[in-house]
Amino acid sequence: MKKIALVLGCLILLISSCSKKQHKPIPSYIEEPHSFSQPNEAVITHMDLDINVNFDNEIIQGKASYLIENNEASQIILDSKFLTIENVQADGKDTTFSLGNFDEQLGNPLKIDINKSTKQITVFYKTTHKTEALQWLKPQQTADKVHPFLFTQGQAILTRTWIPIQDSPQIRITYNAKVHVPSQLMAVMSAENPKTKTSDGHYTFKMTQPISPYLIALAVGDIEYKAISNRTGIYAEKSMVEKAHYEFSDMENMVASAEALYGTYAWEQFDVIVLPPSFPFGGMENPRLTFATPTVIAGDKSLTSLIAHELAHSWSGNLVTNATWDDFWLNEGFTVYFEMRIMEALYGKDRANMLARIGRQDLEEEIAGFKESPEDTKLKLNLKGRNPDDGMNSIAYDKGYLFLRTLEETVGREKFDTFLKSYFKKHAFSTINTEKFVAFLNKNLLEKYSITFNTDEWIYNAGIPDNQAIISSDKFETVEKTIQQFVKTNMVDEALTKGWTTQEWVHFVRNFPSDIKTEHLTMIDAAFNLTNSNNSYIAMVWYEQAINHDYHGNNIDAKIEDFLIKVGRRWYVSTIYKAFKRNNKTDAALAIYNKARSNYHSVTANTIDDLLAFNKD
Ligand code: BES
Ligand code: ZN
């Protein structure tokens, strides 16, 4: 009798597990305002991309095939923006499709008719000249000035402008790609990459770990590879390779110290590609291949916290991903915290605290700028109907950091590290929103150790709560005293600045008294020649002050113009254009912008268009 029951039991188990296989439960995706896709109906799980990169007409053309998980749907919806859709197939046969109404931010929903057994779809398409992800560079805009260059920028919602895709961070796909480029050029992606050029310009890629669509990336140019260790290295144009290799030589140490903090690096390889200076960001954490601006190559390794930052995203962001752009602080706040910990582990507390203090000042200025809209100073945002770019400011980064640092100081570093390690492990290769994070925090840290903490105030309220951690830096206090002395005595004592690091110079320049006189700036420039600084960060903050205080010595106006024409890094150029605007010099800004705009990637151009109310027609 018992035996029969057992056999019967096994049979039932077998049948139920079989039927589960047939009707795979589809994970429940939450509503999100920046994608038309309906992943609860039908969702992509893998992409095969086959594209041709044509530099003559600046168009990418090809096909994107997807394996889909189909919840008996009659339609699958992809996001697309400024794409020409040529044909669509379902399981290898032509099918009907339509493009829904165009939305300024989101583009068009691409609605593809399928049936409930459809397992695969293919979209034949090409990009247009309106594409926002791609920047096609002429040889003149590159370091070596011989060949053209192309790079993509997917975050936040631009991947849909070069690939039709379900473009929500909640989606995760693996991908293979075949990319055809002119034979003098090399193609690299956020995937397993070639180390040398092929003779025919054909490249194949594999990304076997599931990633969100905003992390799909491609760069094409006359680039070379130089290894730093067996899992880290540099891609750059010939004239940049050695410089970049020297500047980022600590990359392997960074990966090792990151692993020691929060667990094994999940992506096997960590390479960096140094892009031309119009790249709109400092860095972009494309998996296996961080994209970086050349402006961090200062010659003295002083701006490499950017690499620590992008590396940290390999955990916070790429492994554990914000579910929606309203939860962006989960990506960036955690990453800044992690970045500071890597910097502290490798270079000590002084350096980490200086970086944190600079971020603290950025936060102060950002909050002051949001005086009219305090809502924007909350960590959890509501960006429905807005461009997710609106949330990409110092609040997510520096308030996010300050929250986590305050939490760390409250619970103690040991408990906090154990908690973070378990957070990454538990949520690896999945997405998380703010509410889920709060629940996880309560259960695994606060309730576990009976600690009270004002989490909700930090996350859901505007401004900064009273219990914020105090970030102090002895080095910066000395810098502040030095400023006072220079101004009081009307004299520069160069000895007082001896051995200053980039961070000290930046703090020095950013903290002049608001009524500092032009004579003081002349005196400082005469002593330190900041106008001609080779350090892009020091130059940038100095230019800002020159504009604030009407300083025109040392031919600085021409230098500012050159900088704005050459560099497209949004944070840098918007800081400078904002200074022009704040000081009622918008005409001067527009005169430069007219010359510079064509060198900018769309994300930078869009920001500056809005800032200066630039008339595009
Ligand atoms: N992921 C961001 C860049 C980004 C954010 C692109 C939002 C598109 C939308 C990247 O990790 C980043 O934060 N870059 C910073 C550098 C960092 C050291 C603060 C940058 O570009 O300045
Ligand atoms: Zn980041």
Side-chain angles (χ1 to χ4, degrees), residues 18-27 45 69-71:
C18 265
S19 66
K20 252 195 201 127
K21 253 204 179 127
Q22 266 167 13
H23 300 281
K24 247 192 191 165
I26 295 213
T45 58
E69 221 164 77
N70 183 350
N71 201 6

Side-chain angles (χ1 to χ4, degrees), residues 479-499:
V479 169
E480 287 156 25
K481 284 195 193 113
T482 307
I483 300 173
Q484 282 167 15
Q485 174 165 342
F486 288 2
V487 172
K488 206 170 73 201
T489 60
N490 289 318
M491 264 187 21
V492 165
D493 180 355
E494 284 174 44
L496 294 178
T497 67
K498 209 163 166 258

Side-chain angles (χ1 to χ4, degrees), residues 32-36 78-82 101-109 132 157 160-161 167 383 385-388:
E32 84 112 324
H34 297 109
S35 170
F36 288 114
L78 308 187
D79 294 291
S80 77
K81 194 178 183 190
F82 303 135
N101 289 340
F102 178 76
D103 177 284
E104 195 69 47
Q105 313 291 354
L106 309 182
N108 311 83
E132 293 168 299
I157 54 171
R160 67 190 69 177
T161 75
D167 195 8
L383 295 166
R386 295 172 71 179
N387 189 326

Side-chain angles (χ1 to χ4, degrees), residues 309 313 332 397:
H309 179 97
H313 273 306
E332 297 300 342
Y397 290 80

Side-chain angles (χ1 to χ4, degrees), residues 235-469:
Y235 288 91
E237 292 179 69
K238 199 179 195 64
S239 65
M240 291 298 286
V241 174
E242 287 305 327
K243 282 182 213 155
H245 189 265
Y246 171 78
E247 201 78 15
F248 303 146
S249 60
D250 271 354
M251 250 160 64
E252 170 58 36
N253 297 337
M254 284 187 176
V255 180
S257 58
E259 288 191 307
L261 282 164
Y262 301 127
T264 313
Y265 179 72
W267 308 89
E268 296 167 26
Q269 188 75 20
F270 180 71
D271 292 326
V272 170
I273 178 169
V274 178
L275 294 167
S278 64
F279 184 59
F281 295 103
M284 177 65 215
E285 66 271 25
N286 299 313
R288 298 181 70 115
L289 182 64
T290 280
F291 282 23
T293 171
T295 63
V296 291
I297 300 181
D300 61 0
K301 309 187 184 183
S302 64
L303 299 176
T304 55
S305 59
L306 179 116
I307 303 296
H309 179 97
E310 305 312 333
L311 169 66
H313 273 306
S314 306
W315 287 258
S316 42
N318 298 359
L319 202 57
V320 183
T321 309
N322 54 203
T324 78
W325 300 115
D326 290 345
D327 307 296
F328 181 58
W329 78 275
L330 289 176
N331 271 20
E332 297 300 342
F334 277 72
T335 295
V336 174
Y337 178 81
F338 197 164
E339 168 196 345
M340 297 303 163
R341 292 294 304 275
I342 296 170
M343 294 306 284
E344 180 186 322
L346 283 182
Y347 310 107
K349 270 200 162 48
D350 269 354
R351 175 125 178 225
N353 276 331
M354 287 194 281
L355 292 168
R357 267 292 299 275
I358 289 176
R360 186 67 189 76
Q361 185 171 345
D362 292 337
L363 178 59
E364 207 62 52
E365 290 169 9
E366 196 79 85
I367 289 179
F370 283 134
K371 225 172 36 221
E372 309 299 324
S373 56
E375 291 287 298
D376 287 326
T377 69
K378 296 178 177 179
L379 286 178
K380 171 83 187 192
L381 295 169
N382 179 7
L383 295 166
K384 194 180 163 96
R386 295 172 71 179
N387 189 326
D389 246 22
D390 289 359
M392 292 166 182
N393 55 52
S394 175
I395 303 299
Y397 290 80
D398 299 309
K399 183 178 173 183
Y401 168 73
L402 194 57
F403 163 58
L404 294 170
R405 173 150 172 178
T406 305
L407 195 54
E408 180 218 301
E409 289 188 8
T410 306
V411 305
R413 186 170 269 194
E414 203 180 316
K415 288 194 180 75
F416 194 60
D417 280 353
T418 309
F419 165 75
L420 277 188
K421 213 168 170 173
S422 73
Y423 168 73
F424 291 130
K425 194 164 179 192
K426 175 82 199 297
H427 301 96
F429 294 106
S430 69
T431 49
I432 183 159
N433 66 4
T434 301
E435 294 70 21
K436 256 170 67 184
F437 164 72
V438 172
F440 187 79
L441 170 70
N442 285 338
K443 182 154 178 274
N444 296 283
L445 189 62
L446 299 178
E447 283 161 18
K448 187 167 169 187
Y449 297 108
S450 309
I451 297 165
T452 43
F453 193 80
N454 53 340
T455 314
D456 284 359
E457 185 186 358
W458 272 97
I459 293 177
Y460 300 110
N461 286 9
I464 304 173
D466 290 338
N467 63 330
Q468 62 175 293

